[in-house]
Amino acid sequence: MFGKVIKGLFGSSSASEPKTKASPPVLYDGFEIIAEPRPAGGQWQVAGHIEKDIDGERKVHVFVRADTMPTSDEAAEHTVRKAKLLIDQQGPALFG
């Protein structure tokens, strides 16, 4: 009984739950894109982060989109496309 209370407070993951896996970084226009799809109701949510060294400091922009895909690989591909669009639109201002 006490174990269930602790698990309820701090969360637990079952063996059947899909796990988030980060993809290898994709280099694009001096930025690194890391896709990290998240499980979402039997689908995979588009999520990841963009990194770049600016003036000797590592900058990171984390993003999550409402888009979902049936597989982790499809969500990762879509994440990279979304990240490239963000980079094209905002460039280094993405971190400001």
Side-chain angles (χ1 to χ4, degrees), residues 17-23 34-49 61-79:
E17 235 176 68
K19 303 289 184 231
T20 300
K21 65 175 186 172
S23 299
I34 297 91
E36 298 174 308
R38 299 177 178 190
Q43 297 272 325
W44 288 89
Q45 188 171 19
V46 171
H49 63 275
H61 175 78
V62 177
F63 65 97
V64 178
R65 296 292 181 259
D67 312 61
T68 57
M69 304 290 157
T71 68
S72 175
D73 289 340
E74 286 177 272
E77 289 173 18
H78 199 69
T79 298

Side-chain angles (χ1 to χ4, degrees), residues 2 5 27-28 58 77:
F2 184 70
V5 171
L27 297 178
Y28 181 73
R58 191 69 167 182
E77 289 173 18

